Amino acid sequence: MAQLIQIKPRGLISEKLSLREGERLIRYTQSICPECNRLLEAIVLERENKVFMRKVCPEHGEIEELYFGSYKMYERFSAYWKDGKGTLAPNVPMERCMCPYNCGLCSNHLSHSGLANIIVTNRCDLTCWYCFFYVKKGLEGAYVYEPTIEQIVEMVRMLRSERPVPGNSVQITGGEPTLREDLIDIIKAIKNEGIDHIQLNTNGITIALKGPEYAIALRKAGVSNLYLSFDGVTPKTNPKNHWEVPYVLDACRKAGLGVVLVPTVIKSINDHELGLIIRFAQRNMDIVRAVNFQPVSLTGRLTKSEREKYRITIPDCIKRIEEQTEGEITEEDWFPVPSCTPLSDFIQFLTKKPKYELSIHFACGAGTYVFKDDETNKLVPITRFVDIKGLIEFLEEEVEEMKSGRPRLVSLGRFVLKLKSFIDESKEPKGLKFAEAIADVVIKHSYEAVGRLQLKSLFLGMMHFQDKYNQDEERLQRCDIHYLTPDLRIIPFCSFNVIPEFYRDRIQQKYGIPVEEWERKTGRKLEDGLYRGVLRRGKHHPNCGCDLANYKVTKEVLQPSCACSTIHSSKIGAATVSN
């Protein structure tokens, strides 16, 4: 496994950072003060099988924050820590960076862009209480930020100039991107610059209102999939688009446009529905390709008790999923994102060409694949029939041998011969042919093979973005989700949003216009774009998900616990679940 490399303390560590009874030091790092943004020495420590960060600001005192909800999982995930390729064409070239004050990317950044976000507007048709991003009328210094197509093209060209791996994956985001009337033209312009994968981050309301024709237009313009906000299966947990999501899925089915469901997970608000969200995705696996859970980032001034009320970490979410799926998906089924780098390294050495690698910090994200067993209707995690750890170790060994001079064809032959030994075909879902698909990916570099797997699987992911309370320079330096900006910088997500006064707000002020000026120019009021709940009148769509919440899981079937049919336009059959 990769060697763990860490930031070392620059000088004397404050006595206030010394360990206390029952604590164990894991590593040193650097962080910022959530009040004044001062760069601070910090320690990451273990206490009672949980991981915490502690830092002390000379002016604002001690800040301690839950970092990772399970030390056992932290230790297992840390085995996959890896430094990435970085960038050979930094926007901020410098011998010694002052992270996080000069992001853009700098010479010391350790990961290339895995996904580049382009904000096309900061207007939104919703006003979600936990969202920090949309422009709010009436606030001093409120600006509407909407870069021109020409500016967007220049941003994409900067992404494509990254080396050794030119960026080729973009997420169009906001605000709500579908409020841009020229969105189709924006998508086409991005696609014309050689971007292979375009993801549209949306609440889906415009698509629900406009229907399949709009979804088809998005797909034809170049959108690969929707990144669809979805916080729960009931109106209480998902008031933003509970009524609209089923219509979005209907439109995407007709358009052949895949969907990723994206729940923002907030402790005490919707963390009791993570299993039901997966059940909803399972029921719609013909069009839902993934669920990407995002534990909430806490913004603003919050007391410690307030943070404890809402703070949830990746291990906490994984534990709840195990409980709420009654053990169908366990914590051992999850691997950190950088665990996939041995496969990309193996392909890179075979082809002698730099390949995409997801070299983010192991605490940033995790994932697993699940497959549906058509006979039992159960979800079968990939770890049930593939020895993932053994396969990773084999690939790492082969990469080291190729580095030492072993001919590539010898390693390729060994891969073909050994691959099936890591797969228990007796436990493999019928018709999957996993070994054949993986061989096509490695040998033929076949996107079609990846597509075949996607159609038979559901990817479950976790991505925990940082905030000022748990900000960690070790994680920031390895970030591979970046923002493209009109000043032609490429800024890591957890700088852009964690310190908005340095990055997001300053950039949007510089390249945006005051709300009042925007209203004069367009002849519209900002609030005119707010959604008026057209689809929330009358009965719910039959696929809204309420029935999942109102059914109780037993060993035989999801049993009804209330008269759910009274609020639906038609009944839905209960999804069977076997244990």
Side-chain angles (χ1 to χ4, degrees):
M1 297 298 178
Q3 182 181 2
L4 189 147
I5 301 172
Q6 60 175 276
I7 292 176
K8 294 182 173 58
R10 294 176 298 169
L12 293 174
I13 295 292
S14 167
E15 290 184 6
K16 294 181 180 179
L17 280 180
S18 59
L19 295 174
R20 297 159 192 170
E21 186 176 353
E23 296 179 344
R24 174 171 40 163
L25 177 68
I26 298 175
R27 60 183 173 88
Y28 297 102
T29 187
Q30 292 163 4
S31 185
I32 59 171
C33 172
E35 293 287 337
C36 65
N37 296 323
R38 184 196 299 252
L39 188 62
L40 305 172
E41 304 289 359
I43 57 173
V44 179
L45 60 96
E46 181 269 334
R47 183 175 69 239
E48 297 179 349
N49 195 39
K50 294 183 179 181
V51 180
F52 296 86
M53 171 182 281
R54 185 183 298 144
K55 49 194 174 182
V56 179
C57 176
E59 183 177 354
H60 298 103
E62 179 181 295
I63 305 100
E64 182 179 279
E65 192 68 16
L66 179 65
Y67 185 94
F68 214 65
S70 165
Y71 175 69
K72 178 184 175 183
M73 191 178 297
Y74 179 96
E75 192 173 38
R76 180 166 74 88
F77 280 14
S78 70
Y80 300 96
W81 184 312
K82 179 185 176 179
D83 289 340
K85 296 181 177 68
T87 175
L88 302 182
N91 305 77
V92 185
M94 53 197 318
E95 291 184 9
R96 189 177 181 86
C97 76
M98 191 62 176
C99 194
Y101 303 127
N102 46 238
C103 291
L105 294 167
C106 79
S107 308
N108 288 359
H109 202 75
L110 296 172
S111 296
H112 64 75
S113 296
L115 177 67
N117 289 334
I118 299 177
I119 303 164
V120 297
T121 181
N122 61 350
R123 291 185 294 128
C124 192
D125 48 5
L126 296 176
T127 56
C128 301
W129 66 274
Y130 60 78
C131 182
F132 54 79
F133 214 104
Y134 66 92
V135 60
K136 301 174 182 68
K137 187 175 180 180
L139 293 181
E140 183 179 353
Y143 293 84
V144 173
Y145 169 82
E146 294 187 344
T148 65
I149 292 180
E150 291 74 22
Q151 287 174 316
I152 290 169
V153 167
E154 289 302 314
M155 296 183 217
V156 175
R157 288 175 179 171
M158 179 57 67
L159 175 69
R160 295 291 294 154
S161 71
E162 271 197 48
R163 295 294 182 271
V165 180
N168 73 347
S169 184
V170 163
Q171 181 182 103
I172 299 173
T173 187
E176 174 49 50
T178 58
L179 294 184
R180 284 283 297 252
E181 295 175 355
D182 58 350
L183 180 60
I184 298 296
D185 293 331
I186 290 172
I187 295 165
K188 289 178 179 178
I190 293 172
K191 194 70 176 177
N192 287 340
E193 293 301 317
I195 297 297
D196 293 328
H197 182 84
I198 299 177
Q199 189 174 71
L200 180 62
N201 188 346
T202 179
N203 58 37
I205 288 171
T206 302
I207 299 169
L209 292 172
K210 291 187 176 181
E213 294 77 13
Y214 187 55
I216 291 169
L218 291 171
R219 181 183 59 77
K220 287 184 176 179
V223 171
S224 307
N225 64 271
L226 296 188
Y227 203 62
L228 181 64
S229 179
F230 182 77
D231 291 344
V233 301
T234 61
K236 184 176 181 180
T237 54
N238 187 26
K240 71 167 80 168
N241 61 358
H242 169 80
W243 298 264
E244 294 77 19
V245 163
Y247 295 98
V248 178
L249 298 183
D250 287 346
C252 288
R253 282 188 177 93
K254 292 180 180 178
L257 183 59
V259 175
V260 178
L261 300 179
V262 189
T264 297
V265 184
I266 307 174
K267 182 182 173 184
S268 76
I269 301 296
N270 66 342
D271 56 321
H272 61 289
E273 285 194 5
L274 306 190
L276 294 179
I277 290 170
I278 293 172
R279 296 295 181 204
F280 182 82
Q282 177 184 358
R283 188 164 72 185
N284 293 282
M285 274 180 69
D286 62 311
I287 199 64
V288 174
R289 306 287 180 247
V291 182
N292 195 24
F293 296 96
Q294 294 185 351
V296 68
S297 299
L298 302 177
T299 60
R301 287 185 171 89
L302 298 174
T303 65
K304 189 168 185 178
S305 62
E306 288 173 327
R307 301 199 305 272
E308 289 172 348
K309 178 181 178 180
Y310 297 122
R311 172 73 73 197
I312 191 167
T313 68
I314 287 173
D316 305 319
C317 293
I318 289 175
K319 182 178 180 181
R320 283 161 173 73
I321 287 172
E322 180 170 355
E323 293 168 350
Q324 293 167 25
T325 62
E326 295 193 333
E328 268 185 50
I329 305 164
T330 71
E331 69 174 63
E332 297 301 320
D333 297 322
W334 297 78
F335 281 76
V337 171
S339 64
C340 65
T341 57
L343 178 59
S344 57
D345 287 346
F346 185 73
I347 296 173
Q348 177 173 294
F349 272 89
L350 288 178
T351 61
K352 291 188 174 181
K353 294 180 180 178
K355 297 295 179 183
Y356 254 61
E357 63 177 4
L358 301 177
S359 55
I360 65 173
H361 192 280
F362 63 85
C364 290
T368 188
Y369 277 94
V370 294
F371 301 81
K372 187 170 72 172
D373 188 315
D374 291 330
E375 292 183 354
T376 65
N377 204 39
K378 288 181 66 173
L379 292 174
V380 182
I382 190 173
T383 52
R384 298 293 194 276
F385 59 93
V386 179
D387 177 9
I388 296 293
K389 186 177 179 182
L391 180 57
I392 289 171
E393 290 174 351
F394 169 74
L395 291 171
E396 287 179 327
E397 291 169 3
E398 290 303 310
V399 168
E400 290 303 315
E401 290 295 334
M402 283 190 281
K403 285 181 181 178
S404 300
R406 173 185 282 171
R408 291 176 295 149
L409 290 179
V410 173
S411 285
L412 180 60
R414 283 174 52 81
F415 172 79
V416 172
L417 291 173
K418 287 277 291 183
L419 179 58
K420 285 195 173 183
S421 69
F422 299 107
I423 300 169
D424 186 343
E425 294 183 347
S426 67
K427 296 180 180 178
E428 183 180 42
K430 286 188 177 180
L432 182 59
K433 298 181 180 178
F434 183 79
E436 181 181 312
I438 292 298
D440 283 349
V441 170
V442 173
I443 299 169
K444 301 178 182 178
H445 320 303
S446 169
Y447 282 103
E448 182 186 352
V450 176
R452 290 202 308 270
L453 282 179
Q454 281 188 330
L455 291 175
K456 293 178 177 290
S457 68
L458 181 69
F459 176 74
L460 302 179
M462 297 272 173
M463 183 57 65
H464 193 175
F465 296 110
Q466 300 184 90
D467 51 55
K468 289 189 178 185
Y469 300 100
N470 61 15
Q471 193 263 2
D472 180 0
E473 291 299 309
E474 291 280 9
R475 290 179 58 185
L476 179 59
Q477 290 177 2
R478 291 164 174 79
C479 178
D480 73 352
I481 300 179
H482 302 151
Y483 278 90
L484 307 182
T485 60
D487 57 4
L488 301 185
R489 283 187 291 167
I490 301 174
I491 301 174
F493 187 105
C494 288
S495 284
F496 190 83
N497 288 317
V498 171
I499 319 178
E501 54 269 46
F502 290 178
Y503 298 106
R504 186 186 73 226
D505 293 352
R506 185 176 293 181
I507 288 166
Q508 293 188 2
Q509 178 179 350
K510 181 177 180 180
Y511 294 97
I513 59 175
V515 171
E516 297 76 16
E517 182 181 342
W518 180 86
E519 290 182 334
R520 285 196 304 272
K521 282 187 173 183
T522 62
R524 291 179 285 167
K525 296 293 184 182
L526 187 65
E527 58 268 26
D528 291 344
L530 293 176
Y531 176 52
R532 305 300 177 182
V534 174
L535 297 174
R536 301 178 182 182
R537 301 162 191 166
K539 296 178 180 179
H540 294 207
H541 187 290
N543 188 30
C544 71
C546 280
D547 62 310
L548 291 172
N550 292 319
Y551 280 75
K552 184 168 58 179
V553 178
T554 70
K555 289 187 177 180
E556 290 79 29
V557 70
L558 290 170
Q559 297 287 354
S561 59
C562 79
C564 186
S565 60
T566 61
I567 62 170
H568 289 83
S569 55
S570 64
K571 285 189 177 181
I572 305 176
T576 57
V577 177
S578 301
N579 284 332

